[in-house]
Amino acid sequence: MAVQGNQIRIGETEVKPGSQASIALPVAKLYTREEVAMPVQVINGKRPGPRLFVSAAIHGDELNGVEIIRRLLRLPALKNLQGTLIAIPIVNVHGLVNRSRYLPDRRDLNRSFPGSEKSSLAGRMANLFLNEVVAKCTHGIDLHTGALHRSNLPQIRANLDDAQTLELAQAFGTPILLNANLRDGSLRQAAAECGIPMLLYEAGEALRFDEFSIRAGVQGILNVMRHLGMLTKGRSHRPPAEPRIAQGSTWVRAPESGILRVLVPLGREVHKGDVLAMVSCPYGNEEHEVRAHKSGVIIGRSHLPLVHEGEALFNIALFNGDRPEDASESVSDFQQQLQTAPLFEEEIFT
């Protein structure tokens, strides 16, 4: 794990204790020779402590995290920060400008780590981000959404077999934690190889702002910062509800092509054999049931009413010890607690 310190250098900028900096980290030039830079915000507390990076838009069409970081940086509580917060609201600048998940070379940045200075555009960007940001931190949170036309229930995906990572995940406070294996070339794998515990937050849909997912993300990051001792716990702070750990997930796919009518919402517990949706032919004379092939909780679903045979429609989290009803109850508690949290009074963000 990176050494905790109270002075940090990002690119050519040195950020001293008790100061802040907005850094434009050069990435690559456009065809026009105009420079493209990755925006990095550094808040360095007066007192030493953990160094936490919070990143968003590694996939350029995943926008919730951009707004989560914007709101996070406006919170007055950061004035009393212990340690260092490094916020990167847009990692994949090229993708965001083009409203695309990918970089111009059609590569997925989150499959390009650790990269190198002499590889593809994706590999160079991954290498820059890893060396200039990730390797200089002690902990990390990466913000994601579902894909186009798919929404995810707020959830944490992480290597929960690692004790430190599990503690962070429980502190974040989403109702469901998914024990997810490290993927080759991912930021999570690169961080793990650097000895840095890291969480991946999934919530909402690509190219959309989802208010509930945004609020849950801001609250979760603050929970982690309090857990790490970077922020003090206010009198109104309430510990997050106990999350349920899923050991995996499975997709339910369309049995036929046609028009989809969804019957169950995100967060609903389902049992093997339950009808989740109907796929109809456009003429109305033929219908096919979409049934759950396992019991669990719906953590992802398609929003597009036009489907092809075999298309992924519902992502079901699977639980070994807990019943689906227990996890669904945690979701309801989480929603209720979030709606009444004083953090989200309007004047805080205006």
Side-chain angles (χ1 to χ4, degrees):
M1 185 181 296
V3 177
Q4 297 187 34
N6 205 31
Q7 189 161 304
I8 187 166
R9 185 182 184 89
I10 304 289
E12 299 300 320
T13 304
E14 191 170 289
V15 188
K16 296 181 179 181
S19 63
Q20 302 183 24
S22 296
I23 301 169
L25 199 58
V27 175
K29 292 182 179 180
L30 299 175
Y31 306 124
T32 59
R33 304 290 292 173
E34 292 294 322
E35 194 78 58
V36 175
M38 186 185 303
V40 180
Q41 299 288 322
V42 181
I43 302 177
N44 202 0
K46 294 180 180 179
R47 296 170 293 167
R51 289 180 177 176
L52 173 70
F53 78 83
V54 181
S55 56
I58 276 187
H59 294 136
D61 59 355
E62 299 183 357
L63 303 182
N64 270 344
V66 180
E67 176 64 5
I68 289 171
I69 290 178
R70 187 193 72 82
R71 295 190 189 187
L72 176 69
L73 292 173
R74 289 170 58 87
L75 292 177
L78 296 183
K79 294 178 181 178
N80 299 315
L81 179 69
Q82 179 172 340
T84 307
L85 173 65
I86 304 177
I88 313 91
I90 307 168
V91 179
N92 182 356
V93 180
H94 294 83
L96 183 132
V97 169
N98 292 299
R99 305 178 188 176
S100 170
R101 177 183 180 89
Y102 304 107
L103 284 157
D105 60 5
R106 296 299 301 164
R107 285 180 167 86
D108 185 336
L109 182 56
N110 205 28
R111 297 294 179 270
S112 302
F113 288 89
S116 75
E117 294 180 352
K118 297 182 179 180
S119 96
S120 65
L121 173 61
R124 293 178 187 215
M125 187 179 295
N127 183 257
L128 176 74
F129 184 62
L130 180 62
N131 291 326
E132 289 292 341
V133 176
V134 178
K136 298 178 181 180
C137 294
T138 60
H139 304 81
I141 302 173
D142 191 27
L143 308 174
H144 287 259
T145 74
L148 282 173
H149 310 303
R150 289 182 185 169
S151 280
N152 284 335
L153 182 77
Q155 60 196 263
I156 286 292
R157 299 182 183 183
N159 176 21
L160 303 180
D161 294 328
D162 177 74
Q164 281 188 303
T165 305
L166 176 59
E167 279 188 15
L168 291 184
Q170 291 172 327
F172 194 101
T174 58
I176 291 177
L177 311 179
L178 184 61
N179 195 7
N181 294 329
L182 298 174
R183 293 192 176 185
D184 291 342
S186 68
L187 174 58
R188 281 205 302 129
Q189 182 187 57
E193 290 176 354
C194 293
I196 300 168
M198 193 194 116
L199 306 179
L200 190 152
Y201 173 65
E202 282 272 3
E205 179 185 1
L207 292 178
R208 299 285 185 273
F209 275 176
D210 178 77
E211 183 63 23
F212 177 71
S213 299
I214 291 168
R215 292 183 174 199
V218 177
Q219 181 69 76
I221 295 168
L222 291 177
N223 287 342
V224 168
M225 294 178 75
R226 292 186 182 111
H227 173 75
L228 293 173
M230 299 176 71
L231 297 175
T232 57
K233 298 178 181 179
R235 285 179 294 179
S236 62
H237 172 68
R238 290 180 293 176
E242 182 182 356
R244 306 293 176 176
I245 297 177
Q247 296 302 324
S249 66
T250 184
W251 280 98
V252 176
R253 299 182 178 274
E256 296 285 345
S257 299
I259 310 299
L260 177 71
R261 302 198 323 275
V262 173
L263 304 178
V264 294
L266 284 173
R268 176 70 58 83
E269 77 273 9
V270 295
H271 296 273
K272 184 177 180 179
D274 286 354
V275 178
L276 309 180
M278 303 295 293
V279 177
S280 309
C281 80
Y283 310 109
N285 56 4
E286 189 176 341
E287 285 193 327
H288 298 272
E289 294 177 337
V290 179
R291 291 183 177 270
H293 56 273
K294 290 190 177 181
S295 299
V297 172
I298 302 292
I299 60 170
R301 52 153 289 197
S302 173
H303 285 293
L304 197 63
L306 309 175
V307 299
H308 287 107
E309 181 180 351
E311 193 166 336
L313 303 181
F314 298 92
N315 195 14
I316 301 178
L318 307 175
F319 302 87
N320 289 338
D322 294 332
R323 298 175 304 164
E325 294 89 344
D326 295 332
S328 183
E329 184 177 342
S330 293
V331 172
S332 297
D333 292 343
F334 175 72
Q335 291 171 331
Q336 183 176 6
Q337 181 174 339
L338 198 63
Q339 289 168 354
T340 59
L343 168 67
F344 303 111
E345 295 173 356
E346 185 177 352
E347 61 268 18
I348 292 179
F349 299 115
T350 57

